[in-house]
Amino acid sequence: MDLMYLLELAVNGGLAGLMYALVAMGIVLIYKSSSVPNLAQGGLTMLGAYMVLAFANGAGLPMWLAIPAAMVTMFLAGMGIERVALRRLAGRPIVMILMMTLGIDIFIRATTMTIWGGSGRPLQVGISDAPLFLGPLLLNRAYVVGAVVSLVLFVAFMLFFRTRRGVVLRAIADDYTASWSVGISVERGVALSWALSSVVATTAGVLWGSVQTVDQTLAMLLLKGITVAVLGGMDSLGGAVLAGLLLGILESVASGVLDPLLGGGTRELVVAAVLILTIMIRPHGLFGRHDIERI
């Protein structure tokens, strides 16, 4: 097989993997801030994309206003989810919180299906369709934009967790009781983590929606996000970026080589295999803390 073809697959796969990392960042943000596994990130990603369409097509706002408006709305929605659904579960067994996030995901999917239906809707965010070449390599321009956005957000959140507020969120994740005892508002901290995660979900929804249209399949990005988060380490933003790169390259090259032989489906097989093997061999991920508990 042509080496240049494999290299092109790897580069585009790595760029797509950085977009997977956007979904994983939302999961890591909540876990890093509150030790809560979040299974609602796929639904939030889909809802963020639909909110952009609602502001752009429904309210008639230009895209450069529709996206910030959707982010503000999703920020408030994230805080509302924590306040209404999760705050009353503080101190309860982690499996109850996990099931609650799964229930939220199902609720979001059903609600969006009821309001907007199941047909795909195009989302034009101004990314050119013109071919982009890096030497002899043909790159997906939307993936390049998404990768840059992912890296910018990664740097922003790394700086955020060095601030006083970021340190407070990390303290909350380490020990709720100790945080309460020193006067930290645990509820506000957890609500902030959900709000930030919802903004990241909106960003991921916009970028992936511009690639594949906006429909219910955006929620399926949860599987890619969880795989990346687990592989990188549930509390590691840097791990999410590196794991996204690795997963994107692996699934792209594997599908390019094996799909013609097997008839398709290799991408999903690679993702499932990576998730299962990571949990079996290195359950704390590449960069996660060894004391992380998996369920």
Side-chain angles (χ1 to χ4, degrees):
M1 183 169 288
D2 185 7
L3 181 61
M4 195 58 64
Y5 173 66
L6 291 177
L7 182 59
E8 187 173 287
L9 286 175
V11 172
N12 281 290
L15 294 173
L18 287 175
M19 291 177 63
Y20 295 153
L22 272 176
V23 183
M25 280 185 203
I27 297 171
V28 171
L29 274 173
I30 291 179
Y31 197 97
K32 192 178 181 71
S33 304
S34 60
S35 295
V36 173
N38 174 25
L39 298 183
Q41 197 65 22
L44 290 172
T45 299
M46 178 183 63
L47 180 59
Y50 274 116
M51 291 305 302
V52 172
L53 284 177
F55 281 110
N57 299 340
L61 295 180
M63 193 58 66
W64 62 273
L65 283 178
I67 294 175
M71 288 182 173
V72 172
T73 302
M74 290 298 293
F75 183 93
L76 297 175
M79 296 192 75
I81 288 172
E82 188 281 332
R83 179 67 181 86
V84 174
L86 295 169
R87 185 168 298 186
R88 64 190 62 202
L89 296 180
R92 301 290 181 88
I94 195 68
V95 68
M96 294 182 65
I97 303 176
L98 185 68
M99 290 299 100
M100 176 60 81
T101 63
L102 178 60
I104 292 170
D105 183 76
I106 296 171
F107 178 80
I108 290 174
R109 294 192 197 194
T111 302
T112 54
M113 177 71 78
T114 300
I115 296 175
W116 288 287
S119 59
R121 299 164 184 256
L123 179 58
Q124 302 295 332
V125 295
I127 301 176
S128 173
D129 293 329
L132 177 64
F133 288 92
L134 179 62
L137 303 179
L138 175 62
L139 303 183
N140 186 312
R141 192 180 293 267
Y143 287 171
V144 172
V145 173
V148 171
V149 172
S150 179
L151 292 174
V152 169
L153 283 178
F154 163 68
V155 172
F157 283 122
M158 289 297 291
L159 294 175
F160 169 75
F161 278 104
R162 294 176 180 268
T163 65
R164 187 172 184 273
R165 175 60 63 180
V167 172
V168 166
L169 293 184
R170 293 169 64 183
I172 292 171
D174 285 337
D175 194 321
Y176 276 27
T177 304
S179 299
W180 270 315
S181 68
V182 296
I184 294 176
S185 177
V186 173
E187 294 83 359
R188 291 181 182 177
V190 175
L192 177 60
S193 70
W194 275 89
L196 293 175
S197 180
S198 298
V199 171
V200 175
T202 304
T203 305
V206 168
L207 292 170
W208 278 109
S210 69
V211 171
Q212 64 179 56
T213 73
V214 178
D215 56 23
Q216 295 285 315
T217 61
L218 284 178
M220 300 306 293
L221 288 168
L222 175 65
L223 177 59
K224 304 289 181 71
I226 287 179
T227 302
V228 170
V230 171
L231 177 60
M234 286 289 288
D235 65 340
S236 175
L237 288 169
V241 172
L242 180 58
L245 276 170
L246 293 175
L247 181 64
I249 292 171
L250 184 59
E251 73 165 10
S252 179
V253 173
S255 65
V257 174
L258 297 178
D259 275 358
L261 302 175
L262 302 177
T266 309
R267 287 180 180 270
E268 290 73 19
L269 180 62
V270 167
V271 174
V274 169
L275 179 59
I276 292 170
L277 290 174
T278 301
I279 294 174
M280 291 176 59
I281 298 171
R282 194 177 178 86
H284 51 79
L286 296 175
F287 300 101
R289 298 188 316 190
H290 287 237
D291 60 349
I292 292 179
E293 296 181 3
R294 303 278 187 227
I295 61 172

